[in-house]
Amino acid sequence: MKVWLQKEVSGRSGIISSTVISYVRRCEMTTVDFFAIYKLAYAFNVMIEDLMEILEK
């Protein structure tokens, strides 16, 4: 399993660092930017549905 730093996730996904950091720090996500989720799924090479399952747990 590859471990990415928050800065790497930001760079690979195109999401600004402060947004990535805020996602990491949240215990729960009350609102989700769908475009950011799309970018993260693309960066991690997973389907959006798979990523949403991870976020919901």
Side-chain angles (χ1 to χ4, degrees):
M1 179 166 95
K2 169 103 171 98
V3 176
W4 290 2
L5 300 174
Q6 294 168 359
K7 187 179 240 181
E8 289 177 292
V9 172
S10 174
R12 290 175 182 259
S13 67
I15 300 171
I16 60 173
S17 296
S18 61
T19 300
V20 172
I21 291 168
S22 73
Y23 286 167
V24 170
R25 290 185 178 164
R26 291 184 199 174
C27 294
E28 296 179 8
M29 295 185 125
T30 55
T31 60
V32 176
D33 176 359
F34 183 77
F35 195 58
I37 297 301
Y38 172 81
K39 288 179 173 182
L40 288 170
Y42 184 79
F44 285 110
N45 196 30
V46 297
M47 293 177 16
I48 292 172
E49 295 84 2
D50 295 336
L51 186 57
M52 292 303 294
E53 289 179 22
I54 292 169
L55 294 175
E56 289 176 1
K57 290 181 181 180

